Amino acid sequence: LGFSQPDEDDQGYTNLDAALYVSGSNLYVYSEGSNRFQYSRPIGPADELSVLWNRQTQMVQFAVNQTVVFTLPPPAAPGTGTGTSSDYYVVDLSIYSVGGPAEVWWLDPAQCSTAGVGGDCTALNRQPCFSGNLCGSCTFGTQGAPGPSNSPCSLMEAAVGNFISWDSSGPVNDTGPGSLQRLSGSGWGSAGATSR
C-alpha cells in the first residue's frame, strides 16, 4: 500500500513511488521496487500502519502506531533529478496473495490544519498530527509532555563530562563509569547497549 503518480496504474509494486510492504510480521518500505527500510520490530494485526505525504515538502513518512519510523525524500521527476513529476499522488495498492489490508482510509486534512505551528508539528519537535489538531509524541532525542499535544518538546541535553549510563542487551556488563565489556560469544547483533 502506498502512493504512485496518477499515470502509473499497472497493479505491480515496482511502480509505487512510496509503499509499505508487509510479509508475515515484517514491515518494509519500498520505493519503485527497491527495499529502502526494514522496521526493527515485528508487527501484528493490532498495529496501525500509516503512509503520510506532505504536499509542501513532497516527503513521504511511514508510521507505526502513529510514530514515524522512516521518511522517504521526494522522488525525482523524470529527467530533472529534483522534485516530483506531479503535484499529487494517488493511493496505489498491489496485492501479491489472498488477503490484504483490513482498512484503508484518508486522514482528513482539516483534522490537522492547525496542529503545531500552522499545521507543522516539526516546529515543536513532535511527531505528525493524525487527528484532533494535535501533534504526536516528542521526536527522538527530545522531551516534553506526552502526545498527542501541541506543547513544544525540547532537546535532551547530557551533562558534559559525565560518563554515559548504559542499558545493555545480551551478554554485556557495565564494568565501570562509561565502560562496557562483552562477556561471551562473538558476532554482530547478539550483544550491545544504548545510552539511558
Side-chain angles (χ1 to χ4, degrees):
L1 171 67
F3 297 118
S4 67
Q5 301 296 327
D7 59 346
E8 299 175 336
D9 59 356
D10 68 1
Q11 300 179 2
Y13 75 97
T14 58
N15 73 315
L16 297 171
D17 292 321
L20 287 174
Y21 167 57
V22 178
S23 177
S25 63
N26 297 312
L27 174 67
Y28 304 90
V29 170
Y30 269 70
S31 178
E32 299 176 348
S34 296
N35 182 5
R36 301 288 301 274
F37 172 78
Q38 180 177 353
Y39 187 53
S40 61
R41 297 183 182 145
I43 60 162
D47 289 313
E48 178 183 310
L49 308 178
S50 304
V51 184
L52 303 119
W53 174 53
N54 184 314
R55 180 172 248 151
Q56 284 77 28
T57 65
Q58 299 287 307
M59 288 194 276
V60 179
Q61 295 177 310
F62 300 87
V64 176
N65 300 321
Q66 299 188 358
T67 298
V68 173
V69 296
F70 186 73
T71 300
L72 192 64
T80 66
T82 60
T84 61
S85 59
S86 175
D87 65 348
Y88 69 97
Y89 280 120
V90 295
V91 175
D92 199 341
L93 183 61
S94 179
I95 302 174
Y96 180 75
S97 58
V98 175
E103 297 177 5
V104 179
W105 68 92
W106 290 106
L107 296 176
D108 181 0
Q111 287 289 321
C112 294
S113 61
T114 62
V117 178
D120 180 14
C121 293
T122 59
L124 300 177
N125 293 319
R126 288 196 167 272
Q127 295 280 338
C129 169
F130 286 85
S131 66
N133 279 307
L134 294 170
C135 297
S137 302
C138 293
T139 55
F140 181 77
T142 66
Q143 60 189 0
S149 172
N150 283 329
S151 64
C153 297
S154 58
L155 292 175
M156 294 189 298
E157 295 185 25
V160 176
N162 288 352
F163 289 106
I164 295 173
S165 297
W166 296 101
D167 285 328
S168 62
S169 173
V172 177
N173 187 31
D174 188 343
T175 58
S179 298
L180 289 173
Q181 180 181 33
R182 184 176 183 133
L183 300 175
S184 63
S186 64
W188 297 116
S190 58
T194 57
S195 63
R196 289 186 191 146

